[in-house]
Amino acid sequence: MLSIKNLKATIEGNEILKGINLEIKPGEVHAIMGPNGSGKSTLASVLAGREIFEVTEGEILFNGKNLLEMAPEERAREGLFLAFQYPVEIPGVSITNFLKAALEEIRKHRGLVPLKGAEFLKYMNEKKAMVELNENLAGRAVNVGFSGGEKKKNEIFQMAMLEPKLSILDETDSGLDIDALRIVANGVNKLKSKDNATIVITHYQRLLDYIVPDVVHVLYKGRIVKSGGKELALELEEKGYDWIKKENVDA
Amino acid sequence: MKSDNDILIDELASKEYEAGFITNIESETFPKGLNEDVIRALSEKKGEPAFMTEYRLSAYKKWLEMEEPNWALLKYEKPDFQEISYYSAPKNLPKFNSLDEVDPELIETFNKLGIPLEEQKMLAGVAVDVVFDSASVHTTFRKELHKLGIIFCSISEAIREHPALVQQYLSSVVPVGDNFYAALNSAVFSDGSFAYIPKGVRCPVELSTYFRINQGNTGQFERTLIVADEGSYVSYLEGCTAPQRDENQLHAAVVEIVALKGAEVKYSTVQNWYPGDKEGKGGIYNFVTKRGLCKGDYSKISWTQVETGSAVTWKYPSTILKGDYSIAEFYSVAVTKNHQQADTGTKMIHLGKNTKSTIISKGISMGKSNNTYRGLVKINPKAENARNFSQCDSLLIGDKCGAHTFPYIDVDNPSATVEHEATTSKIAEDQIFYLNQRGLDTENAVSLIVNGFAKEVLNQLPMEFAVEAQKLLALSMEGSVG
Ligand SMILES: Nc1ncnc2c1ncn2[C@@H]1O[C@H](COP(=O)(O)OP(=O)(O)OP(=O)(O)O)[C@@H](O)[C@H]1O
Ligand SMILES: [Mg+2]
């Protein structure tokens, strides 16, 4: 589904990603962990096509297509979804209007006709229920005045609405209370299928109790320096990153 | 270096005008130039009673003594008033009973604009009085309105058929010498609309007029007069679009509204005149005087406007709140792009007790354009307990455009409550990216944000007009995105 080879990316001349290799198959869940500033969000942004980052080397194939040649909206329509670490506020634009427009584009790309008003509302209500989204949130402007946790929940709600093939969750767990964490994780699990894949970026093993990863990667200074099974997350929780850092002093 | 996003924003800002084309209907036109003889000839041509000829001549004399205003934050080449022809009418002007009789080229024009008359007629009971160039060509629903005692016709016809009403109310809100352009309009206005709603009548349809500028170098001097008698209600819609032109064209309309005791008038405008090309060449000059008078107690006037066109706009729909407990509202969206300049706003003049006014102004600037809000709230000494709330928001797209806000507040009664709020925001790169990431292209993303920004105003428009206005806004955002 996703194949990243020797990916290097810079911002304002600083190299942040220094040769990432990653293979993800349909049905898999990959967790990416790593110390602050190691490049996790940068990787997510580059995958989503954020232009402020410059890709200097490497290639990315997404379902066999060259991802780096696609505009951000084309990547989204192809089924790539990013739940942002810091979702932005868009005053005046209601979530309902926004998602109606977004879903229309994505359905059009998949050769489906737009949902009619009533169908759309029904569909939206199902998804709202799935992530237990506060009733009146959907009528409000996108993220404006949302609490930290509400913003994160709203990201998962959008993911549920748009039914992506590859979802990247960038620290969706931080800021969520214990109940919300369970609800969000359940939502993600319900949306999981053998055809789609998930990248979970997190600092906490706790989320991985709910969303069980097939592989855990450690990103450090722009490289994946260690990969392992779900027990790697436990080990990191116990020991911190020092031992990884020590192993990689020369890297 | 420009990011792709900047380039896209440049492209968006330079969307070519979509309604640009010229129709070729034979017309009878006066030679260029203005003097007393021209005014007499105009008045005679229109079969006007003597009081109108006198009215025009007195306005002309006032105008000669006046200076063209300079204070608006606008840069433009002053029009040469002797280079304008003051009368032009489609030849052989018959009154049609059905659309089949109308010049097919005219129908074609409306088809290109996407407002075919056929649909207009059926559209939710909208009566359409089309002002095409200077003479009115088509009027519908007149008979239905007539049964209720509502008069809705061209102002020329009103001058001939209802001279007493016209004489009583014409210039009762905008005196002939009010300002340079109002004086000129009073002297030479060619046509326009007239509406009278009798006592206690609620006008069952939205009255609507489409204005177009068609004849090269024929300045348009529309005159609109709306009189709502005691306890009546009317919603009036005005929509404009014009063909592409090489020379700057002057438009100096005057709109007067009178609301008597307990009457309510809602006046909505969607304005899309040719703004000029990317360098600003060839656009319409729009200097309009619009003013309402809440004459009686408990009367109400609301202005709603969506402005997307013109090279230069100078426009301040204003209301005089004379009656006690009268209410005035002003809702405006003004979009400028390329080299467009808009200086718009409103004046709320509180004279009566317990009067209340609301101003919601939304300015959107793109490209190298300049968008200025200029508002005056004046509370006179006798206006006990007057209240005003003003909100002026500006949205900038790109970093070469400007937004300016000048709220003038003049309070002469200590019991007044006047509130003013202003914000300026920019569409941020991360907002666009967020929407891109959900599958929307940048054009769509900008359009969504802009419509959201303008929502409060768009919501004030009658349904069918709101849809049109939204399309117009989207259209003005649209670029040549591959
Ligand atoms: N817009 C930017 N401008 C300049 N530097 C940036 C920008 N975005 C990221 N960086 C830098 O890139 C590096 C990686 O940042 P990134 O956000 O990818 O880290 P992260 O692994 O997601 O960290 P965290 O766990 O704190 O979220 C950091 O040093 C950061 O300062
Ligand atoms: Mg991060």
Side-chain angles (χ1 to χ4, degrees), chain A residues 50 77 82 92 155 158, chain B residues 429 431 434 437-439 455:
Chain A
R50 185 108 193 228
R77 292 170 197 167
L82 171 58
E155 294 293 293
Q158 292 177 41
Chain B
E429 183 266 345
Q431 291 175 319
Y434 188 88
Q437 212 303 303
R438 301 306 189 239
K455 198 167 54 186

Side-chain angles (χ1 to χ4, degrees), chain A residues 75-110:
Chain A
R75 301 180 193 202
R77 292 170 197 167
E78 283 286 327
L80 188 144
F81 182 91
L82 171 58
F84 288 83
Q85 182 174 5
Y86 304 109
V88 297
E89 303 192 352
I90 309 180
V93 178
S94 80
I95 291 187
T96 306
N97 274 342
F98 156 52
L99 281 178
K100 187 152 195 312
L103 187 63
E104 220 158 90
E105 289 297 337
I106 283 170
R107 285 179 65 93
K108 192 161 76 188
H109 189 76
R110 293 176 188 166

Side-chain angles (χ1 to χ4, degrees), chain A residues 11-12 14 16 34-43 52-53 85-86 170-171 201 203 219:
Chain A
I11 184 157
E12 288 157 9
N14 294 325
I16 310 292
N36 294 132
S38 58
K40 303 180 297 296
S41 295
T42 302
L43 175 61
I52 54 174
F53 296 98
Q85 182 174 5
Y86 304 109
D170 191 356
E171 296 197 25
I201 297 172
H203 287 295
L219 190 65

Side-chain angles (χ1 to χ4, degrees), chain B residues 396-412:
Chain B
L396 305 177
I397 303 175
D399 46 22
K400 292 188 203 81
C401 51
H404 319 272
T405 303
F406 300 102
Y408 302 100
I409 296 168
D410 184 356
V411 178
D412 288 323

